[in-house]
Amino acid sequence: MNKIDMGGTEIIDWTRTIVWEAGDSHLDAICPACGDAAAKRIRLRVRSPWPPHPEQPLVSCPACGTAFHPTMGQPPYEAVLDPLVDVYLEQNAGIDVMAELLAAIDPTAVRRYIEIGCGFGFLLDYARVAFGWEARGFDPGYSARFGREALGVDIQHVYLHSAADAGPEPYDLALCAELIEHVFEPEKLLVVLRDALTTDGTLLLTTPSATGIRPETQPGTLLSMLCPGYHYALYSPKGIEALLRRVGFKSVKVVDRGHTLRVAASVGEELKADLTRPFDRRPYHDYLRTRVGTTDPVTPLGVGYRYRLLKEMTNAGNFEAARAAQADVFAACRQHWKLDFTDPARLLADLSAAPKPKSIEEHHGVYPFCLGSILYFSGIVAWLADGRHDLARRWFQAASS
């Protein structure tokens, strides 16, 4: 959603606040990636989400191509509450997308794992359950506090200022996923991580790519990359490599995926990470099965795990397991929301006749946030596994209601 009510009377369509600079305006600013001190051309301006919503210029470094907001202030991450945690747990959290980041590493080569900006902590939990790693996260945000309690993972609710803060032993693997773009002094963070790793340890990074900052990029995608008020710098492949090498990482590999950079780095001469290694989904499937067996089915966390197992088994073509997962998530929804999945046509009629909820809280009091996805994958099972195109159509209709 691009229109956001910031708490006042004004509702802003943020995609319309991006204005490309037609002239040749420049600002004096030092590039956070390569250190270039030359004047930087302003590429665009975008409004800040923080009242009074001033325009923030985005400049581009002529030396390395990194883009950044030189006038932006530090947002109060630890003070930002997330009222939509249940949406994240039941529907939006891409646990598989997170898990895929770790595919670059042979899991048998890792004993200790650290994640900076771990959010709710799903990946910490996955690393612990799927691979048996000792996992620790650092994140001062609201969702991290909630995740620590819900998952029982080791999350420190502080900023990491030194390697000593990370713990007494070095780590084999560190991950900063979609984090470094928020950091105003990236060298300090990277030095801490360098010192927290073993001599042949690996740092994995993901961050938006400056190469995607183009007028032809879809406005919604561009807005997500810019994330005004939160993303300070968008690194180019050249810029992020220069930054890593400047702080002592000798081996660096950068893959530009258009809108995202995938980066692996090591202080040693040999880079153990392979960014092209395919993601084996079997450990992820086992993780979901484990968590389905250990979480309360009527909680947002439990419903989310059950929906994701249905999705994974359906996509894998394991329809026997998909039917079992379907029955499990149906039972959870029946218990919590009193939904009847016996007849999708009747369910469609009930959904169509029900009054529209007036708030997201009211919606969640009546339906799970992943209901549409549950119904969609039920339709896929009916279509592909049972050959029941008529039944599949009814599931799809219910999903779209």
Side-chain angles (χ1 to χ4, degrees):
M1 182 180 293
N2 298 319
K3 293 185 178 180
I4 304 173
D5 186 346
M6 298 305 296
T9 58
E10 184 179 19
I11 297 179
I12 300 172
D13 182 350
W14 292 97
T15 61
R16 297 183 180 275
T17 71
I18 301 171
V19 179
W20 291 92
E21 188 74 12
D24 194 30
S25 299
H26 287 70
L27 286 176
D28 290 328
I30 297 174
C31 176
C34 70
D36 179 82
K40 310 291 188 294
R41 186 173 72 86
I42 298 175
R43 294 285 307 283
L44 57 80
R45 301 176 189 271
V46 63
R47 288 180 66 181
S48 167
W50 303 105
H53 312 304
E55 280 194 334
Q56 293 179 340
L58 182 81
V59 301
S60 181
C61 176
C64 74
T66 291
F68 61 103
H69 293 284
T71 64
M72 177 179 155
Q74 174 75 55
Y77 294 110
E78 64 278 4
V80 177
L81 298 181
D82 184 358
L84 304 180
V85 171
D86 289 348
V87 180
Y88 181 75
L89 299 184
E90 292 181 14
Q91 173 69 42
N92 289 351
I95 306 176
D96 57 331
V97 177
M98 303 178 210
E100 191 266 338
L101 300 176
L102 301 182
I105 295 292
D106 177 1
T108 64
V110 176
R111 184 176 67 87
R112 287 173 53 79
Y113 165 66
I114 186 172
E115 185 179 346
I116 312 303
C118 59
F120 189 81
F122 275 124
L123 199 52
L124 294 171
D125 191 49
Y126 172 74
R128 179 182 62 173
V129 172
F131 303 135
W133 297 350
E134 297 176 28
R136 168 174 277 195
F138 285 80
D139 195 312
Y142 170 77
S143 63
R145 296 177 182 274
F146 190 62
R148 175 177 178 169
E149 299 302 319
L151 294 172
V153 289
D154 180 0
I155 299 178
Q156 303 298 308
H157 306 298
V158 296
Y159 290 103
L160 191 63
H161 294 293
S162 71
D165 294 337
E169 292 186 60
Y171 295 84
D172 306 296
L173 176 64
L175 174 69
C176 291
E178 307 303 303
L179 171 80
I180 199 166
E181 63 272 14
H182 297 267
V183 178
F184 282 71
E185 297 179 300
E187 285 191 25
K188 290 184 178 180
L189 171 64
L190 293 174
V191 166
V192 170
L193 292 174
R194 179 200 68 194
D195 293 344
L197 286 169
T198 60
T199 55
D200 60 348
T202 301
L203 170 64
L204 296 177
L205 292 171
T206 68
T207 190
S209 174
T211 61
I213 307 300
R214 303 186 302 270
E216 57 268 27
T217 299
Q218 289 293 322
T221 301
L222 182 60
L223 183 69
S224 178
M225 296 174 65
L226 292 171
C227 198
Y230 289 95
H231 286 182
Y232 169 64
L234 289 88
Y235 292 89
S236 67
K238 182 179 179 181
I240 195 70
E241 180 170 357
L243 174 61
L244 287 162
R245 292 191 182 279
R246 190 165 68 252
V247 298
F249 286 92
K250 297 178 181 178
S251 304
V252 180
K253 176 68 175 179
V254 182
V255 175
D256 190 349
R257 295 193 172 185
H259 298 139
T260 301
L261 298 180
R262 290 280 184 90
V263 185
S266 175
V267 293
E269 299 292 345
E270 179 184 1
L271 186 61
K272 293 183 176 181
D274 180 0
L275 296 174
T276 66
R277 183 182 286 123
F279 175 41
D280 182 357
R281 303 187 80 87
R282 291 172 296 181
Y284 175 59
H285 295 168
D286 291 340
Y287 168 73
L288 292 177
R289 293 187 187 98
T290 298
R291 281 294 169 245
V292 163
T294 59
T295 54
D296 184 342
V298 299
T299 62
L301 188 61
V303 170
Y305 277 131
R306 285 158 175 79
Y307 148 62
R308 289 178 179 88
L309 185 59
L310 167 62
K311 172 186 173 182
E312 285 295 316
M313 294 300 97
T314 303
N315 286 340
N318 186 346
F319 294 119
E320 181 179 355
R323 289 190 186 95
Q326 180 190 47
D328 200 8
V329 75
F330 278 1
C333 293
R334 187 180 304 114
Q335 182 179 351
H336 188 121
W337 290 278
K338 312 304 179 187
L339 293 172
D340 185 359
F341 295 91
T342 306
D343 180 1
R346 174 62 181 273
L347 179 61
L348 171 60
D350 291 344
L351 292 172
S352 301
K356 299 298 182 184
K358 297 179 181 179
S359 68
I360 195 165
E361 293 81 12
E362 185 178 323
H363 174 94
H364 198 223
V366 183
Y367 310 114
F369 291 119
C370 54
L371 179 60
S373 298
I374 292 170
L375 299 176
Y376 169 79
F377 284 105
S378 296
I380 295 296
V381 171
W383 184 287
L384 296 180
D386 305 327
R388 293 285 307 279
H389 295 180
D390 56 332
L391 180 60
R393 182 175 65 253
R394 291 196 290 271
W395 284 123
F396 293 148
Q397 289 171 336
S400 63
S401 64

